[in-house]
């Protein structure tokens, strides 16, 4: 919901960082993989309740996720392979963070974490399934032309997800409530994406 507003604000600093990396011959895929390794370290950190360090890992991962796309556009290395790697590792990272909270306190967090992972399956599959069909039909994507895949909007997008992960780390004892609320928002997103995507693809 908020990505169309936040993305334009982040493009300038991301281009600056991408330019610095481009001068050092660093490739977008290297940034993607490095950001993933940093981000996945949040899982054991969360399991051992190192929430501050986990938050740093999460934020660094999200910065890297923005830089790799900016670097790909700057260097002319945009590709379906790079886009696939980026989005695939993103979803693994999101799930890993939720799993980390479940491991930190299984008694209180396991069920809300399972609910959130269930909701993530809905948002992820509706997003990616529509992207496949949209690419095949060459559906326009006016709000996010820089994305490798068609970016189907919804109530919970990248900005809202990052905000949720940050809140989880800042208020770990409130994870059951926060995760349940975010899961509900994700399920609404899934429903609206399925509805909107279906009727979009029904059009000739």
């Amino acid at each position: 919901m908020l990505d169309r507003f936040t993305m334009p604000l982040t493009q300038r600093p991301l281009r600056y960082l991408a330019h610095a990396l481009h001068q050092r011959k660093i490739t977008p895929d290297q940034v993607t993989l490095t950001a993933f390794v940093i981000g996945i370290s949040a899982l054991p950190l969360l399991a051992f309740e190192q929430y501050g360090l986990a938050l740093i890992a999460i934020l660094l991962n999200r910065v890297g996720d923005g830089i790799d796309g900016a670097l790909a556009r700057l260097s002319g290395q945009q590709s379906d392979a790079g886009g696939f790697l980026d989005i695939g590792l993103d979803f693994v990272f999101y799930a890993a963070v939720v799993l980390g909270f479940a491991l930190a306190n299984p008694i209180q967090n396991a069920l809300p974490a399972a609910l959130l992972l269930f909701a993530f399956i809905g948002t992820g599959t509706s997003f990616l399934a529509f992207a496949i069909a949209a690419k095949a039909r060459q559906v326009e994507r006016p709000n996010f032309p820089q994305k490798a895949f068609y970016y189907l909007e919804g109530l919970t997008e990248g900005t809202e997800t990052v905000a949720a992960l940050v809140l989880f780390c800042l208020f770990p004892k409130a994870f059951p409530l926060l995760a349940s609320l975010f899961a509900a928002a994700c399920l609404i997103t899934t429903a609206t994406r399925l509805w909107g995507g279906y009727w979009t693809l029904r059009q000739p």
Side-chain angles (χ1 to χ4, degrees), residues 105-186:
N105 191 336
I107 295 176
Q108 292 186 9
N109 293 349
L111 184 57
L115 176 62
L116 184 53
L117 288 174
F118 167 73
F120 276 175
I121 290 293
T123 57
T125 53
S126 59
F127 176 90
L128 294 174
F130 184 82
I132 294 170
K135 185 174 180 63
R137 296 186 55 173
Q138 298 183 326
V139 177
E140 294 294 327
R141 45 184 181 178
N143 291 326
F144 304 98
Q146 74 276 16
K147 289 292 185 180
F149 292 88
Y150 188 102
Y151 199 84
L152 188 61
E153 298 173 69
L155 180 62
T156 55
E157 298 171 350
T159 301
E160 291 82 9
T161 303
V162 173
L165 300 184
V166 169
L167 288 174
F168 295 164
C169 291
L170 292 177
F171 306 101
K173 291 186 178 180
F175 176 81
L177 175 61
L178 294 172
S180 298
L181 291 174
F182 192 62
C186 288

Side-chain angles (χ1 to χ4, degrees), residues 6-55:
T6 57
M7 283 187 176
L9 298 176
T10 61
Q11 291 309 300
R12 186 173 181 178
L14 289 176
R15 283 196 299 268
Y16 176 81
L17 294 171
H19 182 72
L21 295 176
H22 181 58
Q23 290 182 321
R24 290 165 174 78
K25 310 291 186 185
I26 295 175
T27 69
D29 287 351
Q30 288 173 334
V31 175
T32 299
L33 291 170
T34 301
F36 175 72
V37 171
I38 293 172
I40 205 71
S41 70
L43 196 164
L45 289 170
L46 290 168
F48 288 102
E49 301 183 68
Q50 299 297 312
Y51 299 113
L53 293 175
L55 177 57

